[in-house]
Amino acid sequence: MSTLVYVGANVGVSLWNLFDKFDQVYVFEPDPEMFSELNRRFNQFEWVTLVNAACSSKKGTAKFYVTGNRVASGLGESSEAFQKVYGSNASTLKEITVDTINLGKYLESEGVDFIDLYYSDCQGSDLTILKTMKKFIDNEKIGETFIETHADGSEIYVGLNNQFSGFKKLLNKNYDFIHAAMGTYQASEAGPARLKLNGQYASADELEDVSDWGVSNPEWDSYWRLKGHPEGVASTLRA
């Protein structure tokens, strides 16, 4: 049985191109207004489980910052630098309280044994959430991951460490970093690494130094694959 775990689905635009390729799908979205639309789109599909909660390090509640651009909402407030680039789209419109869960423990309680694709788009919380999945990672129970990642030295969301070196430390033993896909937060002038990408993506071999790449691209999506695992649908994802 193939399994997709999608964390931070918003209203499900990207999810729509993936969900029917798997036998069971677990989807998480904390914003109640976005979840309402997500539920309207997907609750008819019996193999899809929808959870209105933020994935975090523990079960409970947390403050959630709703921004002008709803896809940028999250558990951390946007940094001044991020707001300077995106203005009202990155500024907090309101603060709400949302339920939180420990993702690793939740999936274990659901009896999930192997995750074919783990997709995470959580506005700075991705590394925190992935750490709850350490048992899956260490036991080689995730085939592919596609995860929002920040450059070392970047703090796009206040208080949230989502930097590449943290992912590398967690994944490097059992997973190969295959490529990086462009995110939405990009400098107005393209640096050398941006030119290598041609506006699309760069393989790990093409990136001489991921930290240097972050100077012109502080946010991107990173694709990792379990060593020896066959290439799957995640290899086609770009951003």
Side-chain angles (χ1 to χ4, degrees):
M1 175 176 287
S2 60
T3 301
L4 165 66
V5 174
Y6 196 122
V7 189
N10 199 258
V11 297
V13 174
S14 297
L15 175 63
W16 188 259
N17 296 320
L18 291 171
F19 82 102
D20 60 350
K21 296 176 175 61
F22 299 87
D23 298 314
Q24 62 178 359
V25 179
Y26 291 90
V27 184
F28 304 85
E29 171 54 46
D31 187 324
E33 294 179 32
M34 300 300 99
F35 184 82
S36 178
E37 175 62 16
L38 183 70
N39 188 60
R40 185 190 68 79
R41 290 184 175 188
F42 292 95
N43 67 356
Q44 61 186 300
F45 305 110
E46 60 183 16
W47 67 95
V48 178
T49 299
L50 302 169
V51 181
N52 186 197
C55 296
S56 185
S57 59
K58 61 184 179 180
K59 184 176 181 179
T61 60
K63 187 179 293 186
F64 187 81
Y65 299 90
V66 178
T67 59
N69 176 5
R70 299 299 280 268
V71 298
S73 304
L75 295 178
E77 194 163 21
S78 301
S79 67
E80 290 184 8
F82 190 78
Q83 292 185 40
K84 185 177 181 180
V85 173
Y86 287 103
S88 60
N89 278 341
S91 300
T92 301
L93 296 181
K94 60 182 177 180
E95 299 174 12
I96 62 175
T97 299
V98 298
D99 292 330
T100 63
I101 62 170
N102 178 300
L103 181 60
K105 291 181 178 179
Y106 173 85
L107 294 173
E108 287 179 23
S109 72
E110 287 289 304
V112 175
D113 179 59
F114 188 88
I115 300 167
D116 295 85
L117 171 57
Y118 176 82
Y119 191 119
S120 177
D121 185 6
C122 297
Q123 314 311 313
S125 293
D126 307 84
L127 181 56
T128 297
I129 299 166
L130 192 62
K131 287 178 178 178
T132 73
M133 303 290 291
K134 191 173 187 302
K135 186 180 293 186
F136 286 87
I137 294 167
D138 291 346
N139 292 323
E140 303 181 4
K141 294 294 186 179
I142 305 176
E144 299 178 290
T145 71
F146 191 76
I147 309 174
E148 186 175 79
T149 309
H150 298 164
D152 288 346
S154 297
E155 185 184 59
I156 298 176
Y157 298 93
V158 178
L160 298 180
N161 182 348
N162 207 48
Q163 299 179 13
F164 180 78
S165 58
F167 290 97
K168 187 174 181 180
K169 182 178 180 180
L170 190 61
L171 294 168
N172 209 40
K173 180 181 177 181
N174 293 331
Y175 291 80
D176 292 321
F177 171 50
I178 308 299
H179 71 237
M182 296 296 292
T184 57
Y185 181 20
Q186 302 161 21
S188 57
E189 295 182 3
R194 174 74 184 278
L195 295 176
K196 291 180 185 178
L197 295 174
N198 294 318
Q200 297 298 319
Y201 75 101
S203 70
D205 291 338
E206 291 172 320
L207 295 175
E208 296 177 3
D209 189 322
V210 176
S211 296
D212 287 346
W213 191 46
V215 173
S216 57
N217 303 282
E219 178 187 68
W220 66 86
D221 294 295
S222 58
Y223 167 50
W224 304 75
R225 190 164 64 232
L226 180 67
K227 295 179 186 296
H229 189 77
E231 183 178 287
V233 66
S235 65
T236 65
L237 302 175
R238 290 294 178 262

